[in-house]
Amino acid sequence: MSVRFFIIFTLLCCLLSAEMSGHPEANVVTKTDSTPQSTRRKLARLLRQTITVQPRDRAAERIAAQQDREYFERYSGRTINSIRIVRRNVFDSTTQVWGEKKVNALHRMSQERTIRRDIFIHPGDTLNPLLIKNNRQLIRSRDYISKVDVEVVPLAEDTMKVDLIIYTQDRWSIGVDLHAESNADTYFELYDDNLLGWGNSLNIKTYFNWKTWAYGGNLFEFATPNLWGSFFAGRIIAGKGFNESDFGAEIKKDFIRPTDYMVGAYGYYRKEPINSYTEELDFNTTYTKVGVWGGKSFYMPNMRNSVFFTGHYHMVSYDERPYVDIETNPYFHNEHSLLFSVGLYREQFRTSSLIYGYGVDEDIAYGYQFALYGGRTWGEFRNRWYTGGMFHAGHFTSIGYLRWGIGLGSHINPDGRFYRTTLISDLNWFSNLLGNGRYRVRQFVDLNFTRGWNRLKGYYEYIGFDDHAEIRGLQETIYGTHRLVLNSETVCFTPWNFKGFRFALYGFADMGVLGYDGNLFKNSFYSTLGIGVRIKNEHLIFRTINIRLGIALGKNGWLGMQYFNISTEDKRQPLRFIPEKATAIDYNADRDYGTWN
């Protein structure tokens, strides 16, 4: 069980509400009609606004997207004469709210060079609408930026030249968090995602036990999203917290344009306790991981997509681990891997709002990616081949946004037999925005199907309900090789606005089956139902506050459940179609092949 303590949230609410005492309106008593008939009319109106949901004009978002596209296409082919940047503070400079004025005064605005280094379009280039929107999305994706707009201004003296004006608005970038486990191990976290306005982030965690006040150590992490305008991102981490230690560094550059290259390298040492073993054994692991990767993409105008090639070398060596042999705990085998991928992809963006955010512009990717994988692994017990493939696509439909994907991967023994085979399929859908009043509603549905064949014995050869396919709040220890999870969530974005903090009410129903039987419906059934509220201020970097109530049910009745939960959560990130380094399709490919989390 974990809880989060919202110090900054409480202090900031007090700070912002303090200005009410100076407002005459706060002390004015307004005479209202308090007759029972008037009260009934107000209540009926509130219920209609809250409950009544009418389908929105399905063409509304398509028209907005078309207008955005046509705006830039109007100037397609013209020469960019200059690029000007207009920076804005966290809150409007004309605000009269005392708390907002204080935040603006204390905030260190993003440096102009910080914004400019994220611009890959230059004066003298020909205006390309696709690149303009991709560059806008890149700047908007920075955690310290809340809003980005691009304006095109034709030159009066030369109609074939235009000036670009990029408007940005900052977020307050400093935050704190406090996380406590049930055994009283706690860490206090202080972070700044826009250090001195340079766009770099610094995160410091201090560990202690709140019962004994024993000091557990410190962990420092520094990251830069764009090193000297090269579009290389870098990260350094060092420190320890109780039984965990992390020391490492990573540098990488991803695909950001249709024709581009990617490259990266990482090396790190980690010690971590494992407390979710299927045989109910806890142990420590200590290991070193090293990896390098690279890739190239080429845009094909006639097909309007890009072809890409990637390669990835990865090495892992364990110093401390559980028992291993040729058939047991392959996750902990020392090995070297070399994987390659080749495929096609296309990615574009549509701007919308009230999806994962609370009123800010959001870039939702649509397009597709198809890839084939292959490679070789040299292990301490055996050498083997790997092969696989995946396809996923997303597009806007008349009933909302739909994304689906499927991936199949398998290791191959020297005798040619397939083993540790995994099939993963996902479907993600959210509806158009519903409701014409102040209360707007979206429906979200996520479906995950995972199946394994010829799995071995030990850690990560079985799966549970994890972050990839979670049943929220469930507190049961369940494992299997076949899993189906359906997550359904109805979100009501309310008009409630307390000093910039916005509220979204939601109800959820998560259902899943998990077990070892190839017939999914012969396995055990689990479900949780509940309601909750999320609170977020898009002007501030603080994580979303989530308060949740729920119950858990199975085919035999009540199940173990975290009935009440208060936590913070990172805002859910839209899924992308940009290829990454070649990794195996497995129950958890990130852990198997070295993505540093």
Side-chain angles (χ1 to χ4, degrees):
M1 177 180 178
S2 64
V3 296
R4 303 275 183 158
F5 182 61
F6 307 113
I7 301 174
I8 287 296
F9 171 65
T10 304
L11 291 178
L12 191 59
C13 287
C14 295
L15 177 68
L16 294 178
S17 61
E19 57 91 19
M20 287 295 292
S21 61
H23 282 206
E25 294 85 354
N27 300 316
V28 173
V29 178
T30 304
K31 181 180 289 187
T32 59
D33 184 357
S34 58
T35 63
Q37 184 177 4
S38 174
T39 302
R40 286 196 297 271
R41 285 199 301 266
K42 291 178 180 179
L43 179 60
R45 183 167 62 248
L46 177 61
L47 290 174
R48 285 197 303 270
Q49 290 176 335
T50 305
I51 299 174
T52 302
V53 175
Q54 299 175 347
R56 186 184 179 186
D57 182 1
R58 292 179 176 178
E61 290 192 358
R62 291 199 300 270
I63 292 173
Q66 182 177 351
Q67 289 174 342
D68 184 57
R69 182 176 64 252
E70 290 177 348
Y71 175 74
F72 294 114
E73 288 180 347
R74 190 184 313 159
Y75 306 102
S76 178
R78 302 192 189 188
T79 301
I80 299 174
N81 178 67
S82 67
I83 300 176
R84 185 160 62 94
I85 297 173
V86 178
R87 297 169 298 141
R88 294 165 175 160
N89 214 325
V90 177
F91 296 100
D92 193 292
S93 59
T94 61
T95 181
Q96 297 302 311
V97 179
W98 180 85
E100 294 180 357
K101 292 168 66 175
K102 277 294 184 182
V103 170
N104 278 352
L106 294 171
H107 176 66
R108 183 71 177 267
M109 282 184 61
S110 299
Q111 304 278 346
E112 180 173 336
R113 61 183 177 179
T114 299
I115 307 298
R116 196 169 290 278
R117 75 184 181 187
D118 278 341
I119 302 174
F120 54 74
I121 299 167
H122 307 287
D125 290 351
T126 299
L127 192 149
N128 183 323
L130 177 60
L131 292 182
I132 292 286
K133 289 193 286 185
N134 283 2
N135 208 156
R136 182 180 63 182
Q137 183 277 330
L138 175 66
I139 300 172
R140 192 177 282 159
S141 69
R142 302 306 188 200
D143 291 336
Y144 50 86
I145 297 294
S146 67
K147 187 175 182 180
V148 179
D149 291 307
V150 179
E151 181 182 2
V152 183
V153 181
L155 269 63
E157 61 273 17
D158 187 347
T159 58
M160 292 307 296
K161 291 185 177 181
V162 295
D163 291 332
L164 296 184
I165 305 176
I166 300 177
Y167 301 91
T168 65
Q169 185 169 8
D170 276 12
R171 280 193 176 98
W172 173 263
S173 60
I174 301 174
V176 299
D177 202 2
L178 190 70
H179 176 86
E181 297 291 347
S182 56
N183 63 359
D185 285 349
T186 305
Y187 69 76
F188 175 81
E189 181 180 9
L190 174 65
Y191 56 92
D192 187 345
D193 280 356
N194 192 6
L195 192 64
L196 300 176
W198 296 340
N200 304 321
S201 66
L202 178 64
N203 185 303
I204 302 172
K205 291 181 180 178
T206 299
Y207 294 81
F208 60 94
N209 186 289
W210 62 266
K211 286 185 178 179
T212 64
W213 293 106
Y215 172 67
N218 282 95
L219 183 69
F220 301 88
E221 182 177 353
F222 177 82
T224 178
N226 190 348
L227 189 63
W228 301 315
S230 64
F231 296 100
F232 276 80
R235 186 163 69 134
I236 299 173
I237 189 169
K240 61 166 292 188
F242 293 111
N243 293 326
E244 298 186 27
S245 299
D246 280 287
F247 298 91
E250 178 184 42
I251 187 168
K252 66 177 182 177
K253 179 193 174 299
D254 297 326
F255 292 133
I256 60 174
R257 287 166 284 200
T259 296
D260 210 340
Y261 71 95
M262 66 182 296
V263 66
Y266 57 82
Y268 62 96
Y269 165 89
R270 178 167 174 78
K271 178 181 180 181
E272 64 176 336
I274 302 295
N275 55 12
S276 57
Y277 192 44
T278 56
E279 296 180 5
E280 299 182 357
L281 300 175
D282 296 344
F283 50 84
N284 290 325
T285 61
T286 305
Y287 56 88
T288 301
K289 289 190 178 183
V290 176
V292 295
W293 71 93
K296 180 67 177 176
S297 67
F298 303 91
Y299 184 65
M300 299 180 294
N302 294 336
M303 298 179 63
R304 293 190 300 170
N305 60 29
S306 298
V307 59
F308 68 89
F309 307 88
T310 68
H312 178 204
Y313 166 78
H314 166 70
M315 182 277 292
V316 59
S317 175
Y318 285 89
D319 298 320
E320 186 179 4
R321 59 182 175 175
Y323 171 79
V324 296
D325 61 32
I326 194 170
E327 298 290 335
T328 304
N329 282 323
Y331 178 83
F332 298 105
H333 290 180
N334 297 327
E335 64 181 24
H336 300 257
S337 299
L338 185 61
L339 290 176
F340 298 94
S341 68
V342 57
L344 300 169
Y345 82 93
R346 177 194 301 165
E347 182 180 68
Q348 298 184 62
F349 297 94
R350 177 180 292 187
T351 302
S352 188
S353 64
L354 295 181
I355 301 174
Y356 306 121
Y358 294 73
V360 296
D361 289 337
E362 301 175 65
D363 292 308
I364 305 300
Y366 62 97
Y368 74 93
Q369 182 190 154
F370 167 72
L372 296 174
Y373 298 92
R376 178 78 165 169
T377 296
W378 296 267
E380 60 180 309
F381 295 105
R382 61 160 64 119
N383 301 331
R384 61 193 188 276
W385 294 96
Y386 179 83
T387 185
M390 56 80 65
F391 176 82
H392 59 272
H395 55 281
F396 289 89
T397 71
S398 60
I399 59 172
Y401 177 82
L402 177 67
R403 175 193 166 102
W404 66 278
I406 187 169
L408 176 66
S410 182
H411 300 274
I412 306 174
N413 274 335
D415 60 7
R417 290 187 298 118
F418 290 88
Y419 83 113
R420 299 186 73 202
T421 304
T422 302
L423 171 68
I424 299 177
S425 182
D426 292 285
L427 182 146
N428 312 100
W429 172 79
F430 61 79
S431 70
N432 294 323
L433 199 59
L434 305 173
N436 293 322
R438 297 186 302 155
Y439 293 83
R440 313 306 294 274
V441 175
R442 278 195 199 273
Q443 178 66 43
F444 295 82
V445 174
D446 297 313
L447 181 67
N448 171 273
F449 171 68
T450 304
R451 177 163 183 156
W453 291 271
N454 302 322
R455 307 301 298 187
L456 301 182
K457 296 180 295 182
Y459 185 67
Y460 258 103
E461 290 304 291
Y462 316 104
I463 51 176
F465 294 120
D466 55 27
D467 291 339
H468 301 283
E470 181 186 14
I471 294 186
R472 281 167 283 191
L474 183 66
Q475 291 189 322
E476 298 279 347
T477 302
I478 315 113
Y479 294 98
T481 52
H482 312 307
R483 176 183 67 197
L484 178 67
V485 174
L486 174 68
N487 305 111
S488 175
E489 182 173 291
T490 303
V491 180
C492 175
F493 296 94
T494 75
W496 310 337
N497 186 342
F498 177 73
K499 307 304 179 183
F501 287 90
R502 295 188 175 274
F503 296 75
L505 307 176
Y506 68 93
F508 68 90
D510 296 341
M511 295 165 280
V513 290
L514 176 63
Y516 298 94
D517 198 304
N519 184 342
L520 273 173
F521 300 102
K522 291 184 178 180
N523 295 307
S524 297
F525 171 79
Y526 306 87
S527 67
T528 59
L529 306 170
I531 58 174
V533 57
R534 296 189 180 101
I535 307 169
K536 174 67 175 176
N537 190 325
E538 292 288 2
H539 293 288
L540 311 177
I541 203 79
F542 303 142
R543 299 182 178 101
T544 304
I545 301 167
N546 183 26
I547 303 172
R548 186 184 70 213
L549 298 170
I551 59 173
L553 297 169
K555 64 178 182 181
N556 296 322
W558 299 101
L559 299 173
M561 176 69 180
Q562 190 177 28
Y563 299 105
F564 175 72
N565 175 266
I566 301 179
S567 62
T568 59
E569 59 185 21
D570 292 320
K571 185 167 68 175
R572 185 176 176 182
Q573 297 298 317
L575 299 170
R576 299 286 306 276
F577 297 94
I578 292 291
E580 298 179 347
K581 58 180 178 288
T583 57
I585 298 167
D586 211 332
Y587 284 157
N588 193 319
D590 285 350
R591 297 195 59 149
D592 270 340
Y593 285 85
T595 294
W596 176 22
N597 294 318

